[in-house]
Amino acid sequence: MTYQDPNMTQDTALITDPDWWRGAVIYQIYPRSYQDSNGDGIGDLAGIIQRLPHVASLGVDAIWLSPFFTSPMLDFGYDVSDYRDVDPMFGTLADFDALIAKAHELGIKIIIDLVLSHTSDQHPWFVESRADRSNDKADWYVWADAKPDGTPPNNWLSIFGGPAWQWDTARMQYYLHNFLAEQPDLNFHNAEVRQELLDVARFWLERGVDGFRLDTVNFYYCDAELRDNPPLPEDQRNDNIAPAVNPYNHQDHLHDKNQPENLGFLRDLRDLLNEYDAITTVGEVGDSHRGSEIQAEYTGGGDKLHMAYDFALLGHVHPTGTRIAEVMAKAESFSQDSWGCWAYSNHDVERHGSRWALSDAAQRTYAALLMSLRGSACIYQGEELGLPEADVAFDDLQDPYGIRFWPKFKGRDGCRTPMVWKSDNQNGGFSDSKPWLPVASEHLALSVEAQEDASGSMLNFYRRLIAFRKTVPALAKGDFTLIHADDTHIRFERSHNGTRAICAFNLSDEDQSFELPSGAWKVEAKAPFTVSRDGNSVTLPGWQAVFAVSSGSNTAQNSEESGHG
């Protein structure tokens, strides 16, 4: 029997609502690892189409599709060599059109990952740019002369290790690369570059996409004067952006990203998007110290990005109630009209269940918390199964980042291993051939097949949780007011159009009690959560979450649910 939630059908109001993204649940698919349809061991677009019913069963609003463009795959698609085509590894443009059509038929919107800050060094633009200093695209990338002693023009560092400058023997100059040396940075100070990238966005809008996830959105511009970055005091360093073993953390990145000129380009992009109906953007803000400030700057005012997410909940800092309250307060302090998109896991970080050493109960509580924060929510493929980080042996590593910093940092392959669909297949139902990364043996018991019909499974918990969120608009779109927070507990109120929802989370093993305000409250604890109530006094057992909903129309009555629903 396949699980079918009665609330799963897409709300027609959401389809036509230009603000459908506000409070949406977005499911990230990493195409290489979702489903292989042709037996080459690599996931593809046809495989994603095959698995769309699973995505629809979750009740999510949209898919964020990681890059599928033509690429030499040195950074697995984040090194683009043709922005207007599908890499043959993943299929064809016709396959992409079929994916759009099927997703829309199922009520799912498609957000694609645009990587605009840099290209592959095999992109025709860069091939021409590096040929000499006088060709038509000579200024399309960030080029600079060496210092008199032959060293790079400044002290900027690459996130992937070492200097952010690569010497080119044809031009006898350095070019900038914030990531791999094979990923040269485009020069956004050049108006032709900006226009070309807007045309790329238009190409995909015309094919029917519903929005863009903008990779490294704060890296578009660098300082035109190429000034050195100052050092960062040791007590301010963290590993939210780069692993602790990477000297990238030793600088205050004032000049290689986060430039004010970026706002102008984002406004131009928004003008383009406004020509189309109900389009959205979510920008990845990669910054350890100014993430919330940049998020607010990039999404406030209604004329730039719709949403942005920083790395506040993607790092190793354990999200205690105190920490969550600090993150939300910081985001709120910079702008009242900005909109965040929160995530615990993605294709670049260790899966959060392992990163924070969470029990099964704790993972469920944090999932409920994610679905209750002010903002939209991103969940990464396999998160709905409770997958832990896979341990990938050095000989099986594919990620150049991990190979560079092994063994202190094992790279990103552990979160990119194939999705597990079946338990009785050594490849988890992902492929009939050897997968590009090995399927973790500990993942097999957590497969979709194993969890599908188990009412208490993590998979069905996510389905109930997302469905519940849709029945309480305050959870998706409401204002946020903190009531109480300490390391083991956080409680806040969401309110929208007269409906109030008090959300309480016990982040400890011990029982915790609190008092509801006076009024009529419907207290709900979604299975497997339980709650004890005596009047307006509520007791929450360890690692449990509860929602108390009250409507201004008094349609909510005093009632109690003990974990059913």
Side-chain angles (χ1 to χ4, degrees):
M1 183 179 89
T2 300
Y3 176 88
Q4 179 80 31
D5 192 287
N7 295 309
M8 191 184 73
T9 304
Q10 185 87 351
D11 184 350
T12 55
L14 191 62
I15 295 175
T16 57
D17 180 5
D19 287 340
W20 65 268
W21 50 269
R22 193 180 294 274
V25 179
I26 302 168
Y27 182 80
Q28 182 191 357
I29 288 179
Y30 193 69
R32 293 179 71 91
S33 299
Y34 207 61
Q35 179 66 58
D36 171 22
S37 72
N38 60 7
D40 64 358
I42 298 172
D44 45 48
L45 297 182
I48 295 172
I49 295 172
Q50 176 186 337
R51 297 300 186 180
L52 281 177
H54 168 75
V55 181
S57 79
L58 296 174
V60 300
D61 302 292
I63 289 169
W64 151 20
L65 198 61
S66 290
F68 51 84
F69 313 107
T70 308
S71 166
M73 298 293 164
L74 294 181
D75 193 20
F76 305 105
Y78 285 89
D79 49 329
V80 178
S81 56
D82 186 346
Y83 282 110
R84 292 179 172 86
D85 206 354
V86 174
D87 193 282
M89 172 186 299
F90 297 129
T92 65
L93 280 170
D95 291 327
F96 179 80
D97 293 340
L99 172 60
I100 288 277
K102 184 61 176 177
H104 285 174
E105 178 185 320
L106 292 171
I108 304 168
K109 295 182 181 292
I110 296 290
I111 297 170
I112 66 170
D113 206 331
L114 272 190
V115 189
L116 302 183
S117 69
H118 54 268
T119 70
S120 164
D121 63 352
Q122 296 183 32
H123 197 294
W125 301 343
F126 188 71
V127 172
E128 182 176 352
S129 185
R130 78 188 313 177
D132 55 57
R133 302 189 188 191
S134 59
N135 64 78
D136 289 344
K137 292 184 172 55
D139 192 40
W140 276 44
Y141 293 80
V142 181
W143 293 95
D145 292 329
K147 289 181 178 179
D149 62 359
T151 56
N154 61 30
N155 70 345
W156 296 353
L157 296 173
S158 164
I159 287 183
F160 283 179
W165 296 96
Q166 181 70 22
W167 180 253
D168 185 80
T169 55
R171 286 187 50 145
M172 299 293 286
Q173 283 183 307
Y174 284 98
Y175 65 83
L176 178 67
H177 62 92
N178 276 296
F179 299 92
L180 293 176
E182 295 84 2
Q183 293 172 295
D185 277 67
L186 286 160
N187 178 18
F188 273 72
H189 293 283
N190 184 313
E192 291 180 351
V193 170
R194 299 195 300 273
Q195 185 57 55
E196 180 63 28
L197 294 176
L198 292 174
D199 290 344
V200 166
R202 186 181 294 278
F203 174 85
W204 292 104
L205 289 166
E206 291 293 329
R207 296 199 90 89
V209 303
D210 302 291
F212 302 107
R213 183 264 189 183
L214 298 168
D215 184 66
T216 59
V217 70
N218 56 318
F219 283 77
Y220 289 171
Y221 280 84
C222 67
D223 175 39
E225 299 178 31
L226 304 182
R227 288 171 286 186
D228 279 355
N229 283 328
L232 189 67
E234 187 172 357
D235 62 357
Q236 295 182 30
R237 298 172 192 169
N238 62 48
D239 61 355
N240 280 5
I241 303 300
V245 295
N246 190 342
Y248 187 84
N249 298 313
H250 293 206
Q251 289 186 358
D252 187 359
H253 294 273
L254 289 179
H255 301 303
D256 50 355
K257 57 185 178 181
N258 305 337
Q259 301 306 291
E261 297 95 328
N262 213 21
L263 298 177
F265 177 76
L266 296 180
R267 290 188 179 97
D268 290 342
L269 177 61
R270 183 62 173 264
D271 287 343
L272 167 63
L273 301 179
N274 288 342
E275 297 177 23
Y276 298 81
D277 293 331
I279 303 299
T280 195
T281 49
V282 53
E284 176 196 29
V285 176
D287 193 277
S288 296
H289 302 283
R290 303 178 183 87
S292 295
E293 179 180 357
I294 296 165
Q295 180 190 97
E297 188 177 33
Y298 283 17
T299 65
D303 61 346
K304 298 177 285 296
L305 299 181
H306 301 77
M307 302 176 280
Y309 75 85
D310 61 28
F311 285 62
L313 302 181
L314 289 167
H316 281 84
V317 178
H318 194 85
T320 63
T322 305
R323 168 67 175 164
I324 294 289
E326 289 172 350
V327 169
M328 298 306 293
K330 190 173 181 181
E332 192 87 357
S333 68
F334 289 111
S335 175
Q336 296 296 312
D337 67 347
S338 64
W339 196 256
C341 186
W342 304 105
Y344 296 151
S345 290
N346 65 26
H347 64 291
D348 279 336
V349 299
E350 182 182 0
R351 288 186 177 273
H352 70 276
S354 298
R355 195 170 75 241
W356 297 330
L358 302 179
S359 66
D360 181 88
Q363 285 199 59
R364 294 172 191 245
T365 303
Y366 276 109
L369 178 55
L370 179 69
M371 293 298 163
S372 306
L373 297 176
R374 181 181 183 271
S376 302
C378 278
I379 57 176
Y380 178 52
Q381 64 183 52
E383 194 169 332
E384 76 274 24
L385 304 178
L387 296 186
E389 181 82 352
D391 186 14
V392 181
F394 181 78
D395 289 344
D396 291 322
L397 282 188
Q398 302 291 323
D399 182 14
Y401 202 4
I403 294 170
R404 173 69 184 270
F405 287 105
W406 178 276
K408 293 292 187 180
F409 172 66
K410 297 183 178 182
R412 303 166 293 178
D413 289 334
C415 66
R416 297 177 175 183
T417 56
M419 184 74 171
V420 281
W421 302 99
K422 298 181 178 180
S423 300
D424 60 353
N425 179 307
Q426 66 176 351
N427 295 333
F430 165 74
S431 177
D432 294 331
S433 302
K434 180 181 179 181
W436 75 287
L437 281 173
V439 174
S441 59
E442 63 269 26
H443 286 184
L444 294 175
L446 299 173
S447 72
V448 172
E449 179 184 68
Q451 298 194 38
E452 187 70 59
D453 296 329
S455 62
S457 69
M458 185 73 76
L459 172 58
N460 284 318
F461 167 73
Y462 265 86
R463 286 167 168 159
R464 286 190 294 271
L465 187 62
I466 294 169
F468 175 67
R469 175 183 169 97
K470 289 188 175 182
T471 67
V472 185
L475 293 180
K477 298 180 182 292
D479 295 333
F480 177 97
T481 303
L482 181 68
I483 300 173
H484 171 81
D486 58 42
D487 284 353
T488 63
H489 179 89
I490 184 168
R491 189 166 73 256
F492 50 80
E493 181 178 310
R494 304 292 309 280
S495 57
H496 180 71
N497 288 346
T499 297
R500 302 164 63 195
I502 291 178
C503 311
F505 306 89
N506 185 348
L507 308 179
S508 75
D509 294 323
E510 305 296 328
D511 288 2
Q512 300 204 20
S513 299
F514 66 92
E515 293 290 324
L516 290 171
S518 60
W521 295 96
K522 182 180 181 181
V523 177
E524 300 194 61
K526 311 310 292 181
F529 297 144
T530 59
V531 61
S532 173
R533 180 181 181 186
D534 181 9
N536 277 358
S537 180
V538 176
T539 298
L540 204 54
W543 293 110
Q544 301 285 292
V546 69
F547 305 91
V549 182
S550 175
S551 170
S553 61
N554 287 323
T555 57
Q557 301 298 316
N558 276 314
S559 64
E560 179 180 330
E561 298 191 9
S562 59
H564 304 288

